[in-house]
């Protein structure tokens, strides 16, 4: 059997990273009914704005762009103004609800924007967007148009790549931290525990010092002069909060984690809020709105409002 080749004396590394520049522009269009009289193919443009050292603007066609498929629609485009440029960018076009202030996404794409080159080697394509951005009759009966005013928002992310060469790879390989695993085992075994919880009839053991570090509510309850030596047994409705404090991972307890609000566990609360935002539908809308109001969950409240205005866009269906 042939012997294995010896490992090279040196090992080098390189990394390809994507550098991004982000920006948002809000184009407020007043006197909408006046601009509607411009006719098909006529546009109004926003002021120029800079993202990633490139100049951009938003083009709005109140009666639709010149193409046939834009008839009966308003058209919206993002345009690259910088001359002799080639830019790869992600753009996200949205329309703002005038009653709530929240914005509803209409189009999100990654495209190559190209302005005219001297040698004509590449075809110019300096604007991208949507000819059928929204039906005119739908827009004019929606909360997006109020007081003869409409606001279009556009997020722009300019992307570029760079190769970074690393040094010889002689560094010590340090394994990732297993601290959360160790705390999880401590909770499971109950070793050195000094407080007991009753959770819907199930009893398990925990540690005052860990609870106090993770939650100011538990710190006050367990480490104050009154509770430091006396409180040894606590009853709560769910065990998600305690498990999260020990392991910093949520696992199966996402939908019970509004204990996070009660016990001042802000990160736990946000994780669960993110989960609930993805489950807004007709059946859950009313319940989630009440829940968002009770626990001051602004993101969940915005998700519910977006669903009520445009459910297809909000759910991605």
């Amino acid at each position: 059997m042939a012997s294995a080749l010896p490992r090279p004396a040196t090992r080098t590394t390189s990394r390809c990273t994507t550098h991004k520049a982000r920006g948002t522009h809000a184009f407020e269009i007043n006197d909408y009914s006046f601009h509607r009289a411009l006719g098909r193919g006529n546009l109004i443009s926003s002021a120029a704005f800079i993202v990633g050292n490139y100049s951009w603007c938003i083009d709005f066609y109140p009666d639709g762009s010149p193409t046939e498929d834009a008839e009966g629609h308003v058209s919206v485009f993002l345009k690259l103004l910088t001359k002799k440029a080639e830019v790869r960018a992600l753009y996200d076009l949205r329309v703002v609800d005038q009653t709530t202030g929240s914005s509803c996404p209409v189009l999100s794409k990654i495209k190559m924007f190209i302005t005219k080159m001297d040698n004509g080697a590449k075809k110019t394509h300096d604007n991208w967007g949507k000819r059928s951005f929204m039906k005119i009759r739908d827009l004019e009966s929606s909360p997006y148009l109020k007081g003869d005013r409409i606001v279009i928002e556009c997020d722009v992310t300019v992307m570029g790549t760079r190769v970074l060469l690393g040094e010889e790879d002689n560094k010590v390989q340090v394994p990732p931290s297993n601290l959360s695993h160790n705390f999880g085992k401590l909770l499971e075994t109950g070793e050195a525990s000094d407080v007991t919880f009753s959770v819907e009839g199930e009893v398990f053991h925990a540690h005052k010092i860990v609870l106090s570090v993770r939650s100011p509510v538990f710190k006050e309850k367990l480490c104050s002069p009154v509770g430091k030596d006396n409180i040894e047994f606590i009853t709560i409705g769910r065990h998600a909060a305690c498990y999260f404090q020990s392991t910093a991972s949520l696992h199966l307890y996402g939908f019970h984690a509004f204990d996070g609000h009660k016990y001042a566990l802000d990160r736990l609360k946000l994780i669960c809020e993110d989960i609930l935002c993805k489950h807004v539908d007709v059946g859950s809308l009313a319940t989630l709105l009440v829940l968002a109001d009770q626990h001051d969950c602004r993101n969940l409240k915005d998700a519910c409002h977006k669903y009520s205005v445009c459910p297809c866009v909000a759910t991605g269906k």
Side-chain angles (χ1 to χ4, degrees):
M1 182 181 295
S3 58
L5 294 175
R7 185 176 178 179
T10 61
R11 179 173 177 266
T12 59
T13 61
S14 63
R15 181 183 302 111
C16 181
T17 61
T18 301
H19 295 266
K20 301 176 182 178
R22 294 184 175 92
T24 299
H25 185 78
F27 184 20
E28 180 179 329
I29 303 162
N30 295 310
D31 302 317
Y32 165 81
S33 57
F34 171 79
H35 297 300
R36 272 277 278 127
L38 290 174
R40 278 277 301 281
N42 293 295
L43 63 88
I44 54 176
S45 298
S46 72
F49 58 95
I50 303 296
V51 179
N53 294 322
Y54 295 97
S55 182
W56 309 84
C57 75
I58 299 172
D59 286 342
F60 177 73
Y61 293 79
D63 280 303
S65 60
T67 57
E68 291 184 3
D69 55 352
E71 185 175 357
H73 295 78
V74 296
S75 305
V76 180
F77 296 87
L78 173 66
K79 184 175 183 178
L80 175 64
L81 299 176
T82 303
K83 303 300 182 184
K84 301 178 184 179
E86 183 176 347
V87 187
R88 184 168 177 259
L90 165 67
Y91 66 97
D92 184 3
L93 290 169
R94 305 189 305 273
V95 59
V96 176
D97 187 321
Q98 301 290 316
T99 57
T100 65
S102 60
S103 57
C104 186
V106 178
L107 179 67
S108 182
K109 294 279 188 179
I110 297 178
K111 290 293 185 179
M112 187 68 75
F113 293 77
I114 303 173
T115 50
K116 188 175 181 180
M117 304 291 180
D118 286 338
N119 56 12
K122 291 190 177 182
K123 184 179 179 180
T124 300
H125 201 141
D126 59 359
N127 70 337
W128 291 94
K130 194 168 186 178
R131 293 185 288 269
S132 56
F133 185 81
M134 185 174 290
K135 289 183 178 179
I136 293 173
R137 65 172 182 269
D138 292 343
L139 171 63
E140 294 180 349
S141 61
S142 74
Y144 304 126
L145 179 65
K146 189 174 182 181
D148 213 24
R149 172 180 176 269
I150 182 175
V151 179
I152 305 294
E153 287 185 345
C154 185
D155 292 338
V156 183
T157 303
V158 174
M159 291 176 278
T161 59
R162 181 186 299 173
V163 176
L164 303 177
L165 296 177
E167 298 178 352
E168 293 180 359
D169 192 6
N170 294 324
K171 298 179 180 178
V172 176
Q173 299 299 313
V174 180
S177 172
N178 60 353
L179 182 62
S180 63
H181 172 75
N182 291 339
F183 273 108
K185 295 297 292 184
L186 192 64
L187 179 64
E188 291 174 9
T189 61
E191 183 178 354
S193 64
D194 52 6
V195 63
T196 303
F197 283 82
S198 174
V199 184
E200 297 181 344
E202 181 182 355
V203 175
F204 65 99
H205 305 285
H207 306 79
K208 290 182 179 180
I209 187 64
V210 177
L211 296 170
S212 300
V213 169
R214 299 291 283 168
S215 164
V217 175
F218 278 126
K219 182 177 181 180
E220 177 67 23
K221 183 185 289 288
L222 298 174
C223 295
S224 66
V226 174
K228 184 175 181 182
D229 298 318
N230 298 325
I231 296 180
E232 297 180 352
F233 193 87
I234 298 175
T235 301
I236 62 174
R238 303 176 181 91
H239 66 293
C242 295
Y243 191 84
F244 182 84
Q245 290 174 71
S246 294
T247 64
S249 56
L250 192 60
H251 297 290
L252 301 178
Y253 308 121
F255 290 99
H256 302 294
F258 280 103
D259 284 320
H261 179 76
K262 179 179 179 181
Y263 296 111
L265 297 168
D266 294 337
R267 183 168 178 266
L268 176 60
K269 176 183 169 183
L270 287 172
I271 290 175
C272 298
E273 188 177 356
D274 179 60
I275 294 172
L276 291 173
C277 284
K278 299 172 183 175
H279 290 78
V280 179
D281 55 29
V282 173
S284 65
L285 181 62
T287 301
L288 291 179
L289 269 173
V290 172
L291 194 64
D293 186 62
Q294 288 177 342
H295 299 285
D296 191 28
C297 299
R298 298 178 184 177
N299 296 309
L300 180 57
K301 187 177 293 186
D302 285 347
C304 291
H305 285 311
K306 288 180 181 179
Y307 180 87
S308 66
V309 174
C310 46
C312 291
V313 175
T315 58
K317 296 178 181 179

